[in-house]
Amino acid sequence: PELRGNDRWPAATVARWRAARPPLPPLPADATPAMQRVMAALTAQGADPFHGVTTRHVLPAGMTALDMERAAAEQAIARAGVDRAAIDLLLTHSPVPEVLLSNPGPPLHRALGLAPACLALQLDASSYSFLAQLALAEQLVAAGRARHVLLVQSAVSSRLLDPDDPVSPLLGDGAAAAVVGPTPGAGVRAAVHRTDGRFPRTLIASTRGGRWYDRGDLVLHNGDPRGAFQVFLETADLAAEVVGAALAAAGARAQDVRLFGVHQGTPWLRQVTQEATGLAGARTVDTLAATGYLFAASIPLVLETAQRRGLVARGELVVLHGGGVGATYGAIALDWGDPIA
């Protein structure tokens, strides 16, 4: 409910960020055209201390991730029109729960009044969690192991932000939910996933230079700036590979795609990956400026926004692409079903 604009950061803080911003590393001699495009986008982003974000929603002190997740899940269940007794699996991604070492799924399960036979699990793939959840849910439903699966993701970055850190304006709070079930004539056609463990500490929550359980403030920050640069540099080429693989597995061509739903992690990610994947003709949605970075909730927000704006219709091919720190990334191709009010 709290809307935070860019005027929240004092002018002196913003000026300090501008003065202290380190130069980008040089492009490698064998940089691809996509890498050159990313470099230009990173340079442009560096000129804006707010990373292309104008507003972000923030939880007040008395609200928790569970409150947001419950609200999102209740809406998803109502719109899907399913009996909650027919939900056999709840998959959550709660990167900032109230406590550690406890499964955050059961409290949400209880708040929603789900059946005791519904298994509740945390499936954590960082910002890739929604696509990972969707791939697993689709397989379970297709195999007859689950009637419906409820997917929930949240982001509560505000609890871990250092307002003096230059990354702080990028982040917002939010939650999303989706119900996965039988969809005659629609559904997932193909899913492609990749794992790369070279740079696991790019955007992390820990004590600076240490681990989360070391003494000191637990803050969200970039723990490996050079690694982050390399990840960004490769983003467009990797997107082209996984999207191409997903389309090939789905028996489709780039020109068949009607909506391209992209992880909203930077102000340029959607445009650069759309160009690299050959999906320039597909409709798209950009949400980063209005919400900030919402981690795994960003792709569901893109889908919700696209449906609400009438940008996707029954039978149209949709491609989703994203990734998460660790790192995992990939793409899913699916046929859109009937809209639900």
Side-chain angles (χ1 to χ4, degrees):
E2 179 184 330
L3 196 63
R4 180 175 292 172
N6 290 343
D7 56 358
R8 192 250 185 184
W9 285 271
T13 299
V14 176
R16 187 171 68 251
W17 290 343
R18 291 184 189 277
R21 181 176 178 267
L24 291 171
L27 270 174
D30 59 348
T32 66
M35 288 180 176
Q36 295 171 12
R37 179 68 182 86
V38 169
M39 187 68 169
L42 285 171
T43 301
Q45 181 181 350
D48 178 8
F50 300 106
H51 309 282
V53 181
T54 56
T55 57
R56 66 286 288 157
H57 292 264
V58 179
L59 261 67
M63 194 175 181
T64 68
L66 177 62
D67 296 323
M68 283 200 307
E69 292 170 357
R70 179 181 183 178
E74 289 284 7
Q75 289 187 37
I77 293 169
R79 293 184 186 186
V82 303
D83 184 343
R84 65 190 66 206
I87 297 174
D88 295 319
L89 177 63
L90 166 64
L91 296 177
T92 70
H93 173 58
S94 306
V96 190
E98 295 301 291
V99 296
L100 297 177
L101 301 181
S102 178
N103 181 0
L108 179 60
H109 178 286
R110 185 173 189 273
L112 295 172
L114 300 180
C118 171
L119 180 62
L121 296 174
Q122 162 95 323
L123 192 159
D124 183 358
S126 188
S127 300
Y128 193 62
S129 294
F130 172 70
L131 294 187
Q133 290 175 351
L134 177 58
L136 178 59
E138 185 268 335
Q139 290 291 309
L140 290 170
V141 172
R145 298 292 187 180
R147 289 167 294 176
H148 294 89
V149 182
L150 176 60
L151 315 180
V152 184
Q153 315 80 35
S154 69
V156 192
S157 304
S158 63
R159 297 291 190 258
L160 299 176
L161 286 181
D162 174 358
D164 288 330
D165 192 308
V167 78
S168 60
L170 175 65
L171 305 156
D173 296 338
V179 177
V180 178
T183 53
V188 173
R189 273 208 231 175
V192 172
H193 311 283
R194 301 286 186 262
T195 300
D196 181 353
R198 291 176 297 160
F199 308 109
R201 296 178 61 85
T202 51
L203 189 58
I204 57 172
S206 72
T207 58
R208 295 187 184 275
R211 296 154 294 196
W212 67 264
Y213 51 82
D214 290 335
R215 289 189 178 275
D217 290 335
L218 181 67
V219 293
L220 198 155
H221 64 285
N222 185 348
D224 181 7
R226 282 199 164 269
F229 173 75
Q230 189 63 35
V231 168
F232 282 137
L233 204 59
E234 298 175 6
T235 293
D237 286 316
L238 296 179
E241 189 272 319
V242 293
V243 168
L247 287 174
R253 304 164 301 170
Q255 54 264 42
D256 299 327
V257 179
R258 293 293 173 264
L259 178 71
F260 185 39
V262 188
H263 175 69
Q264 304 278 304
T266 73
W268 50 265
L269 187 62
R270 190 274 306 162
Q271 181 178 354
V272 170
T273 56
Q274 188 170 12
E275 293 172 357
T277 54
L279 301 181
R283 307 176 195 111
T284 60
V285 171
D286 292 319
T287 61
L288 182 75
T291 67
Y293 180 28
L294 297 180
F295 292 84
S298 68
I299 291 180
L301 176 60
V302 166
L303 292 175
E304 163 75 8
T305 305
Q307 177 171 280
R308 191 170 61 248
R309 294 179 182 174
L311 299 180
V312 61
R314 177 173 177 79
E316 292 187 329
L317 181 62
V318 176
V319 169
L320 309 177
H321 165 64
V325 174
T328 48
Y329 63 98
I332 290 180
L334 58 89
D335 292 309
W336 198 254
D338 287 321
I340 297 173

